[in-house]
């Protein structure tokens, strides 16, 4: 859905009113429960509760929408959830699998944004610009609500590649984007156009704002402030008299739709890793090497974005019986060149995997990170290395604007049929 800007009804199709930048909040729908239903198709369409057995003292960590329709919510006590929905299926959860699916989803998110802020295991923020639309749809005129078009493509890709559904809220800032994603769940997309924030918020209850909890909601309700409409109809003086100066200031800003427009960049990482889970166990050497190349290329790109180089490289393999194999090697110097890293990755991979052994998951990990290269050994001569750096710089410039998968090198292309 789209919430239009009521002040610009005569200019909805005008290119001058196309937003240049938006913040997107993406949220996986009933994540833990949805993963359980994906792994066990017999659970689909049934009320599923994740968190523990029905008679345990814990709380609900996640509930499928079938369970929510029966009155189960997070973080309801498990015993109460059983009373509300006695035929629900209670599960302790497979948290290592949830992490695995989360990584797969965020791998897709990386295709749509140079930087994704992961807020939790099942939600994150993206910073989209109109240039990304032009990269995805190069021969099309940019529509007014171009972020919705990108969001639709993103939701389809997550559904096809991972099997899960997401909801996306789009707005001029983080607060509006997060409220919008909650507003349209599940499987929804909500774009709050710039200028329409007060109209969008007006019928909503104040408790939808992140950070306004149960006690604050009750305290505000006691002062006659339940919805945004209650706030918007009062003058600043009247609001201050009811709620106090501090709350009046905050509520006024929220009711006007203002919020933080910035994404938070994390501190320098201790290690960088990328993984890929095959939909069907893979034993094809060419496809495994191609996947390792792409994972290495992406990890090296992330290294360069952080201004770091790696001195220890490693791989991770998971076999169909869920046995995990990890191997690493310290290479004697630090580098951010994916071609150099890839040579060591392939060597480690071939030593760790038995010939013909099928693989369920494959990954690369870069550690021993630092800004200095400490280079003592060169696999290429200086001229080749400088040429390689220039190519990487050009690739990085494109990816910084449009995302990692908008441009790549030949090593990540399929080399033949996959078995």
């Amino acid at each position: 859905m789209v919430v239009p800007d009521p002040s610009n009804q005569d200019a909805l199709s005008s290119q001058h009113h196309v937003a240049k930048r938006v913040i997107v909040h993406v949220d996986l729908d009933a994540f833990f429960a949805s993963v359980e239903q994906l792994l066990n198709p017999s659970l689909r369409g049934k009320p599923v509760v994740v968190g523990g057995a029905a008679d345990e003292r814990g709380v609900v960590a996640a509930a499928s929408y079938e369970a929510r329709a029966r009155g189960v919510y997070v973080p309801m006590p498990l015993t109460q959830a059983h009373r509300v929905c006695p035929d629900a299926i209670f599960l302790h959860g497979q948290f290592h699998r949830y992490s695995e699916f989360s990584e797969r989803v965020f791998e897709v998110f990386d295709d749509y944004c140079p930087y994704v802020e992961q807020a939790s295991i099942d939600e994150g923020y993206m910073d989209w610009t109109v240039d990304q639309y032009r990269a995805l749809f190069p021969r099309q005129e940019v529509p007014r609500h171009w972020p919705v078009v990108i969001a639709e493509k993103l939701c389809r890709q997550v559904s096809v590649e991972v099997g899960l559904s997401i909801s996306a809220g789009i707005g001029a800032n983080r607060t509006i984007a997060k409220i919008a994603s909650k507003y349209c769940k599940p499987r929804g997309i909500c774009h709050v156009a710039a200028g329409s924030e007060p109209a969008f918020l007006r019928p909503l209850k104040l408790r939808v704002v992140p950070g306004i909890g149960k006690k604050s909601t009750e305290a505000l309700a006691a002062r006659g402030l339940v919805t945004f409409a209650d706030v918007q109809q009062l003058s600043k003086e009247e609001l201050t008299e009811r709620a106090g100066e501090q709350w009046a200031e905050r509520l006024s800003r929220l009711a006007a739709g203002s919020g933080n427009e910035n994404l938070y960049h994390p501190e320098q990482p201790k290690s960088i890793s990328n993984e890929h889970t095959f939909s069907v166990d893979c034993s094809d050497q060419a496809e495994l090497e191609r996947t390792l190349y792409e994972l290495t290329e992406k990890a090296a790109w992330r290294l360069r974005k952080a201004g770091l180089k790696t001195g220890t490289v490693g791989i991770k393999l998971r076999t169909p019986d869920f046995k995990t194999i990890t191997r690493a090697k310290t290479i004697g110097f630090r580098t951010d060149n994916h071609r150099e890293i890839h040579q060591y990755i392939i060597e480690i991979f071939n030593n760790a995997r038995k010939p013909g052994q099928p693989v369920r998951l494959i990954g690369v990990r870069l550690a021993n990170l630092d800004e200095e290269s400490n280079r003592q050994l060169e696999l290429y001569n200086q001229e080749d290395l400088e040429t390689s750096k220039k190519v990487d710089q050009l690739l990085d410039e494109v990816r910084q604007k449009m995302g990692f998968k908008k441009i790549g090198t030949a090593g990540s292309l399929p080399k033949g049929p996959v078995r």
Side-chain angles (χ1 to χ4, degrees), residues 310-315 327-332 344 347-348 351 365:
T310 180
T312 301
V313 303
I315 62 139
R327 298 287 188 275
K329 180 176 182 177
T330 298
I331 61 179
Y344 288 103
E347 176 188 336
I348 299 168
N351 289 332
R365 183 175 184 270

Side-chain angles (χ1 to χ4, degrees), residues 104-394:
R104 291 173 62 186
V105 170
F106 276 86
E107 285 279 333
V108 177
F109 292 167
D110 282 342
D111 296 345
Y112 287 78
C113 187
Y115 175 74
V116 180
E117 179 191 323
Q118 184 166 357
S120 68
I121 194 172
D122 62 349
E123 63 175 321
Y125 292 90
M126 285 184 271
D127 192 336
W128 286 355
T129 68
V130 72
D131 288 338
Q132 288 165 267
Y133 179 88
R134 294 190 177 106
L136 288 168
F137 308 97
R139 289 176 293 276
Q140 296 184 20
E141 183 178 350
V142 179
R144 176 175 169 77
H145 297 293
W146 59 266
V148 175
V149 181
I150 299 181
E152 289 172 343
K153 184 177 176 66
L154 171 63
C155 292
R156 284 195 301 270
Q157 188 171 338
V158 171
S159 178
V160 170
E161 294 189 10
V162 188
L164 298 172
S165 69
I166 62 172
S167 296
I170 307 164
N173 58 66
R174 296 166 62 97
T175 302
I176 292 297
K178 186 171 177 68
I179 294 173
S181 70
K182 185 182 296 185
Y183 179 81
C184 65
K185 290 180 77 69
R187 298 176 181 272
I189 298 170
C190 179
H191 179 202
V192 182
S196 67
E197 294 90 352
F200 167 68
L201 293 170
R202 190 168 296 125
L204 303 182
K205 295 187 177 181
L206 297 175
R207 67 179 182 223
V208 303
V209 177
I212 297 185
K214 182 179 179 181
K215 289 185 178 180
S216 296
T217 299
E218 292 173 350
L220 292 170
R223 294 168 173 77
L225 302 173
V226 178
T227 69
F228 280 96
D230 298 328
V231 175
Q232 292 171 355
Q233 69 184 2
L234 298 176
S235 67
K236 186 69 175 292
E237 292 74 18
E238 291 172 323
L239 191 56
T240 302
E241 186 176 342
R242 283 203 196 185
E245 186 173 349
Q246 192 171 12
W247 267 112
E249 182 67 28
R250 183 183 180 191
L251 291 173
S252 294
R253 291 198 308 271
L254 289 170
S258 64
N260 189 343
E261 300 176 10
N262 299 317
L263 269 62
Y264 300 127
H265 292 261
E267 297 178 356
Q268 287 191 341
K270 303 297 182 184
S271 66
I272 288 176
S273 61
N274 285 320
E275 298 178 355
H276 175 76
T277 300
F278 294 99
S279 56
V280 178
D281 298 335
C282 180
S283 58
D284 186 281
Q285 180 75 12
E287 175 61 13
L288 290 169
E289 290 186 3
R290 185 205 66 79
T291 304
L292 279 173
Y293 188 95
E294 184 175 12
L295 293 172
T296 303
E297 192 173 19
K298 187 170 187 178
W301 173 59
R302 292 172 62 191
L303 267 182
R304 294 191 295 271
K305 283 203 302 179
L308 298 172
K309 296 175 174 61
T310 180
T312 301
V313 303
I315 62 139
K316 176 180 179 181
L317 300 177
R318 183 168 295 151
T319 55
D321 59 359
F322 288 93
K323 179 182 178 181
T324 300
I325 303 167
T326 58
R327 298 287 188 275
K329 180 176 182 177
T330 298
I331 61 179
F333 64 97
R334 295 189 182 90
T335 178
D336 59 10
N337 184 285
H338 75 269
R339 298 164 188 84
E340 290 184 311
I341 297 169
H342 181 252
Q343 290 193 10
Y344 288 103
I345 290 292
I346 290 298
E347 176 188 336
I348 299 168
F349 169 71
N350 288 333
N351 289 332
R353 173 178 174 257
K354 298 176 182 178
Q357 183 181 33
V359 174
R360 174 183 179 82
L361 174 147
I362 194 169
V364 301
R365 183 175 184 270
L366 310 181
N368 188 14
L369 308 183
D370 200 286
E371 296 177 358
E372 300 298 326
S373 67
N374 191 31
R375 178 178 291 274
Q376 298 176 358
L377 172 66
E378 293 188 358
L379 300 181
Y380 305 106
N381 64 42
Q382 191 63 30
E383 184 177 348
D384 288 343
L385 194 59
E386 289 301 320
T387 299
S388 181
K389 286 181 179 179
K390 290 178 181 178
V391 172
D392 286 340
Q393 288 172 357
L394 291 172

Side-chain angles (χ1 to χ4, degrees), residues 48-60:
V48 175
V49 175
V50 177
D55 57 354
E56 292 182 349
R57 295 182 60 185
V59 298
V60 174

